[in-house]
Amino acid sequence: MRKELSRAKEGQFDIKQDAGGVAGYRVFLAQYWALRWAKEYPPVVMFSDTIRQLESVASADLVPQVTV
């Protein structure tokens, strides 16, 4: 997936798609928040995709929406 999505040319780094880029951190945070709040607010772990995890955490006001 990284190979297909990266727009970096030889010797460059795609800040969004390459390893260590923003996309990886977004997934990590979504999963962390879902697990962090799962006991107190079970709906956050209903979904396996990042977008709905983030929406669940934000809609429950577990993390300020400006952060998400």
Side-chain angles (χ1 to χ4, degrees):
M1 182 174 107
R2 290 186 200 281
K3 184 178 176 182
E4 297 297 321
L5 295 176
S6 178
R7 295 189 177 149
K9 294 183 175 41
E10 184 70 31
Q12 294 181 332
F13 175 76
D14 184 332
I15 194 155
K16 183 174 181 185
Q17 296 297 338
D18 286 349
V22 175
Y25 288 106
R26 182 181 61 203
V27 172
F28 171 79
L29 281 174
Q31 292 173 353
Y32 169 77
W33 285 334
L35 293 172
R36 163 63 182 91
W37 295 107
K39 185 176 180 181
E40 294 89 355
Y41 191 77
V44 299
V45 292
M46 286 178 35
F47 306 109
S48 61
D49 62 286
T50 305
I51 297 300
R52 290 189 295 177
Q53 285 176 338
L54 291 172
E55 288 173 348
S56 294
V57 168
S59 67
D61 285 328
L62 301 172
V63 175
Q65 290 192 27
V66 294
T67 305
V68 177

